[in-house]
Amino acid sequence: MSLGQALATAMSGLRANQAALALVSSNVANAETPGYVKKSLVQIQTSTGDYGSSVRVVGVNRELDQFLQTQLRTETSGAAYADIRASFLANLQGVYGNPDSSGTLESAFNNLTTALQALSTSPDSQSARIGVVNAAQTMAQQLNATSQGIQSLRASAESGLNNAVTTANNALSQIATINNQLVNGQQTDASTAALLDQRDQFVTQLSQLMDIRVVTNNQNQVTVFTNSGVQLVGVQAAQLSFNAQGTMTPNTEWSSDSSQSNVGTIAINFPQGGSMDLVATGAIRSGAIAAYLELRDNSLVQAQAQVDQLAAAMASSLSDKTTPGTQLPAGPPDGYNLDLSGLQTGNVIHLTYKDNVTGVTHNLSIVRVDDPSVLPLPNSATSDPNDEVLGIDFSGGMTSVLSQLNSALGPSTGMQFSSTSPSTLTVLDDGAANRVDINAASVTTTALPMDLTGGSPQLSLFTDGGTAFTGAITAAGAQQTGLSARISVNPYLIADPSKLTIFSSSTASGDSTRANFILNQLTSASQYYSPKTGVGNTTAPYKGTLLSFTQQFLSMQGNAADAAKQLADGQDVVLNTLQNKMNASSGINIDDEMAHLLQLQTAYSANARVMSTVKDMYTALLQSM
């Protein structure tokens, strides 16, 4: 090897050492910088003359395990989803209150039944009557507060979606900007490596918000998709939009029909034009956005349905009165006269009849409807799984009602409907044809708030903001929806608590009939509850007392909160484990960097010594000439 070759080799070594020293310095300086990936030089051997070889720096390598990075992003999405859901369900438990403390639905209900027991024992006691009114007001206020708390959580989820969309749009824009700055293909220098670190940070930020899939091309540019296949960003970024709706109420719910939806939805607007509703298509399946959507549109809606069902069941169990129809003299045809004078919208006419052709007995619920736009009603309009529901529009008067009934049931059953007065409905079987036998008929009506001395123990102890709860269904929705937010104690009872025992002009002051009725309905009477509450299902809805239903859904919510907490803890363990692995493979270890620094110093000294020796040799040669 010539002296020139030796000098060239030493100089290339010095240049490589200087570049490596700069990287070590950068690594140490950024040891605590989030998202910084350890850098090292990419060096290749080159020829120097005929026999020598030197080193050339061709780029900077990011010491990154891409498979581990992909796993980390997946678990980041899962952890964000689990953590947010666990946090919200824990807050929901706070709304319900600690089961062992006062100020909960269960304690308020128990206090009400205790007050009623005292009234049942001493029905002529004014203090006992006032005690029941106060306990009923506390129960109504607890339901109001619970509904308000649930809607506050839904509003927080809506706000979370709005913030998440803003964050996502910023990340998408930054990813597209960096993609366009990467124009040198696979060659990576220090500035390019820094851009890749920044882009990875934005991709990770995006993975916290939604489940994503990342594809890298041969220009070091990435294209990000949702796991469902929707492209979010490449060299151009799509834009997400969220039409926040403001205040959340029990009646504000999401619907795939935009004309029916009254909460915010997320749409993606593509750079080349066109858009898509990401909520309706279920494109986002994990991450913070998916968690907020699930909470706002499912878990918290179900929680609202539970307290609304409790409020409705309490109100109707005390105010609804079922009156059997009057059986007509033996026919044929046979049938009943039904008094509809107290029938209000949402009230029900019950018919039990046997189809003699098939041998099947049918339980038919004819529901009064005053808004024809909601027809036809589904069988789920009542909670009884054995009911066959028929909604009839009463807004056109009795003639219209008879026409609807005869058209709907006459041809299929042979039953005949007629009327002798505007408030009397007559239903007859098919007479001698014997296709159908009517076994029972009755009418369920609701006592009005001011009707406290009508002669029956039924009363509107709880009202819908002062009006009777009848279970009405209108275009605005079911009256039951949001009832827990509006429920209140009958103002006429607050003004005159004596009506808790006096239900007619002849009621004795010590009569406990009404007090016993209220107590029995609240503690012992069993009824069906809607499958929408999550307690029971469509084929086997839950049936039980008010207290058992309350305990069921409170227990269910407690179990859901515990399960969510366990899932979040498990996800956090997985995420932390992967993050530690990532840090070990791609993070900065100061001890390793210092050891590398010593190696570089030694190599630098060796190369410098070679150059010094070559200089000395050149000097000796020149002096000898």
Side-chain angles (χ1 to χ4, degrees), residues 293-315:
L293 289 171
E294 194 282 330
L295 288 160
R296 186 197 68 179
D297 301 335
N298 295 307
S299 293
L300 295 175
V301 169
Q302 186 181 81
Q304 182 68 48
Q306 291 165 352
V307 291
D308 285 344
Q309 176 71 91
L310 175 60
M314 285 176 54

Side-chain angles (χ1 to χ4, degrees), residues 361-381:
T361 298
H362 299 265
N363 296 306
L364 177 65
S365 289
I366 301 171
V367 180
R368 171 170 176 166
V369 172
D370 288 353
D371 184 348
S373 67
V374 303
L375 297 176
L377 295 182
N379 283 341
S380 58

